[in-house]
């Protein structure tokens, strides 16, 4: 049961360094434009599930530096009855194909490292190849393939996922995704509400694993110029 208790922590670790990724598990292949920065923050809770993560907090600032997007993730994971984990580490993302907002196909490489500052400095990480297919200006398909290295035992597991993003207009997008991380499948439905062209709010509902553990998420994303 302990492995299942920590599965949400491992599955959520290192997700979402990209602007369009937000709190969602399946990342897109885009990066910030030159001269732009962003921050994203979110809070997740699992009400009513004694074996689930009680609450997760994330803060992830990032900036475009030359050809890559460089960020730093701060993640706090708290499970009921256990000491909270605090993961700190950098994230680097490079869009090597289709680095243009109008590109039909785009692909990237994303590498994330994290050290648990609470449990003896145990390290973990993630490597993912995100691919985005723009079917139209309103409809996109995102696919991810990669691996996670869990903190503590450095056990490697495959990460893969598929997501559909549908923009109903300039103010609202709907996102549905299916993702596998740390040996467990998760399904998520969510919405992104654009308050301004550079500020958005995320709402998400996820079910994880064979016990269908529930997680609700509220996120905030903001992009700005670093000059």
């Amino acid at each position: 049961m302990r492995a299942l208790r920590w599965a949400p922590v491992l599955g959520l670790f290192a997700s979402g360094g990209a602007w369009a990724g937000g709190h969602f598990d399946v990342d897109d292949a885009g990066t910030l434009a030159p001269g732009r920065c962003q921050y994203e923050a979110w809070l997740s809770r699992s009400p009513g599930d004694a074996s689930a993560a009680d609450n997760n907090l994330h803060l992830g600032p990032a900036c475009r530096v030359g050809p890559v997007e460089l960020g730093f993730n701060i993640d706090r994971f708290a499970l009921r009855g256990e000491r909270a984990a605090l993961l700190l580490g950098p994230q680097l993302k490079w869009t090597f194909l289709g680095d243009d907002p109008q590109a039909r196909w785009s692909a990237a490489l994303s590498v994330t490292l994290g050290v648990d500052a609470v449990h003896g400095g145990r390290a973990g990480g993630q490597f993912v190849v995100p691919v985005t297919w723009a079917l139209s200006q309103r409809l996109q398909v995102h696919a991810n393939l990669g691996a996670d290295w869990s903190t503590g035992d450095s056990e490697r597991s495959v990460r893969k996922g598929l997501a559909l993003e549908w923009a109903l207009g300039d103010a609202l997008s709907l996102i549905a995704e299916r993702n596998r991380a740390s040996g467990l499948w998760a399904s998520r439905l969510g919405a992104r509400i654009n308050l301004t062209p550079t500020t958005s709010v995320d709402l998400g509902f996820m079910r994880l694993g064979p016990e269908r553990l529930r997680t609700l998420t509220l996120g905030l994303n903001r992009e700005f110029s670093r000059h």
Side-chain angles (χ1 to χ4, degrees):
M1 190 63 178
R2 180 179 177 83
L4 183 57
R5 284 174 60 83
W6 278 102
V9 173
L10 303 177
L12 289 168
F13 167 58
S15 177
W19 159 249
H23 79 278
F24 295 96
D25 292 316
V26 181
D27 196 6
D28 69 14
T31 51
L32 291 163
R36 304 293 290 178
C37 294
Q38 63 93 23
Y39 66 79
E40 54 187 23
W42 66 77
L43 167 67
S44 294
R45 287 190 62 85
S46 300
D49 289 322
S51 61
D54 185 21
N55 60 77
N56 305 317
L57 296 170
H58 170 85
L59 178 62
C63 284
R64 178 72 176 256
V65 180
V68 303
E69 181 179 296
L70 184 62
F72 190 84
N73 293 321
I74 304 170
D75 293 279
R76 181 182 183 274
F77 301 100
L79 301 182
R80 297 182 180 97
E82 306 235 9
R83 191 180 181 190
L86 180 64
L87 298 180
L88 308 173
Q91 178 168 339
L92 185 146
K93 187 178 181 183
W94 172 45
T95 300
F96 63 87
L97 173 67
D99 188 15
D100 185 311
Q102 305 304 319
R104 188 172 180 84
W105 286 94
S106 54
L109 300 176
S110 178
V111 179
T112 306
L113 301 176
V115 174
D116 188 342
V118 174
H119 298 91
R122 297 179 295 182
Q126 180 190 95
F127 173 77
V128 174
V129 179
V131 176
T132 295
W133 178 23
L135 296 169
S136 69
Q137 290 184 337
R138 298 294 187 186
L139 191 61
Q140 294 183 326
V141 176
H142 310 301
N144 285 184
L145 182 62
D148 295 319
W149 286 266
S150 63
T151 59
D153 56 13
S154 297
E155 181 180 352
R156 185 174 65 180
S157 59
V158 174
R159 172 180 286 263
K160 55 185 177 180
L162 191 67
L164 181 67
E165 183 172 355
W166 179 26
L168 300 181
D170 294 336
L172 177 64
S173 295
L174 301 180
I175 300 173
E177 61 181 18
R178 181 73 168 164
N179 185 70
R180 181 176 175 84
S182 302
L184 295 176
W185 284 101
S187 300
R188 190 193 301 266
L189 295 175
R192 172 162 295 132
I193 303 168
N194 296 315
L195 304 178
T196 72
T198 58
T199 304
S200 65
V201 171
D202 286 348
L203 301 172
F205 173 75
M206 181 178 71
R207 285 190 178 274
L208 173 70
E211 296 191 1
R212 300 175 66 81
L213 305 178
R214 299 169 297 162
T215 300
L216 303 174
T217 305
L218 173 64
L220 174 67
N221 313 293
R222 184 173 183 273
E223 183 180 341
F224 55 94
S225 173
R226 68 170 181 237
H227 300 298

